[in-house]
Amino acid sequence: MWGISNSNYAGTMGHELNPASIVAAPFKWEILFLSADVSLMNNYMYLKRNSRAIRMGVRGESVNDERISDRYTSSDKKAFGYGYLKLPSVMYSSKNWGVGFHISTKVGLSATGVPYHLAKFMKEGFDYTPQHKINYSGGNSDLAAMNWHEAGITGGMLIRDDKTNFITAGITVNYLYGLNSVYMLIDDINYTVQSDSLWQIYVANMEYGHASADAGDNAASDALSKKGAGFSTSVGVQFYRNRNDAAYNPCFHGKATKKYDYKIGVSLIDIGKINWNRNAQKYVFVNVSTDWYGIDTLKLNSFSGSDSTFNTQFYGIQNAGLVANSYSIFTPAAAAVQFDYAYSPTIYFNVSVIQRLPISNYIIKRPNQISVTARYETKNFEIAIPYSLYDYYRNRLGLAIRYGVLTIGTDMLGPFTGLFNTYGADIYFGIKWQIADSCDKKQGRKGSKPKGGRTQGCFNDF
């Protein structure tokens, strides 16, 4: 959410990028009623330009299959998906400390290193004759997906405040309530598709696991049941150069002044994992091979049915590859840096970087990103134009607007214009109420100026 996450008025929509931002906000309280974010991106499948997908979706019509194509190149394919729904949350911020509480439902997906030939067979089926009778190999492929509920508390405090340096630090701790998950790792695979009905796998080393609702009458209720639990944390520090108290003081109505010259933030985000140990299975296949006849008629309609099919096909015995009834998947861990420059009291330029951390093979991978954002920011109105380089390969231009209690934006305008081939989509919004201090009329509209030349706020916190 590059259009809002670095704003001084981001509040609860920003402290997931850096929890230190919960301290010294230009408001006292924030009540977030609802916010959501959905982002999908891949480098293989795309919707052709001028497909009018949004217009047809509003009408309840589906896009013609002829408008969906693929980028058939020899590079490995990857995909990322993320979504959250944040329920009513609250945040308090003063100059010296801040605290917040949130409840969210989240979903994450990542797939990287997928060989182009496997991607093509998954799209076209095994009757794609141009790839028949060719020996293919691949490996270092991974897929992970999970959804979970999250309840977290964020706290922060002022570390240093002198005439030129203002430093805050913050931490978020989350409890994770795991709902469903699945993962797959392919270390290596060597195969040939001889015909649409024969897949010859010469050698494969792979593993997969799942803790999810299976097909059946109770599938809906099982999907919402607890299958794992865990914790995650984020930590961050922010440094302000020449922070100006007067610009944060709601009682001061003199000439507008900059809040700071610049601000630098450093954070580690989403460091944690969920241990899946209820209705969970983990399977490992080592140096297996098979002649898979009738692959074109294979139907995988449930996890239990898939487990039985794979084990029987490779080992001849059901559950032969079962090695454990639990496994762990890490949340999308990353390191982040933010630089925010105040050109004037209302105009800001921001540069931020997110780099995923390879702390495990069992992880939802976060896409790497570099963003450059220009924004016009006031108390009640804000507009931002973010440019981002998504996973170091996809250029994106976005737009975000905050007016009163409503924030809405996208990091990728292209799909809404229909002028370009669309490899994904992104949209977010938030409805929140921010409350500043009320002014003490006895102090006057401009407040008083104590020793040292700083403007004193209406209350001790400002």
Side-chain angles (χ1 to χ4, degrees), residues 325-356:
N325 292 110
S326 66
Y327 58 86
S328 296
I329 297 180
F330 283 78
T331 49
V337 178
Q338 311 93 37
F339 175 80
D340 203 58
Y341 173 72
Y343 176 79
S344 74
T346 57
I347 298 176
Y348 298 80
F349 297 96
N350 183 277
V351 179
S352 295
V353 179
I354 289 180
Q355 174 65 50
R356 62 174 168 261

Side-chain angles (χ1 to χ4, degrees), residues 288-308:
V288 294
S289 60
T290 188
D291 290 340
W292 201 321
Y293 291 97
I295 188 65
D296 57 328
T297 62
L298 178 64
K299 303 293 183 182
L300 301 176
N301 298 320
S302 65
F303 283 108
S304 57
S306 301
D307 297 337
S308 176

Side-chain angles (χ1 to χ4, degrees), residues 189-192 199-204 288-292 314:
I189 185 170
N190 187 283
Y191 71 92
T192 300
W199 186 18
Q200 289 186 318
I201 301 176
Y202 305 119
V203 63
V288 294
S289 60
T290 188
D291 290 340
W292 201 321
F314 286 112

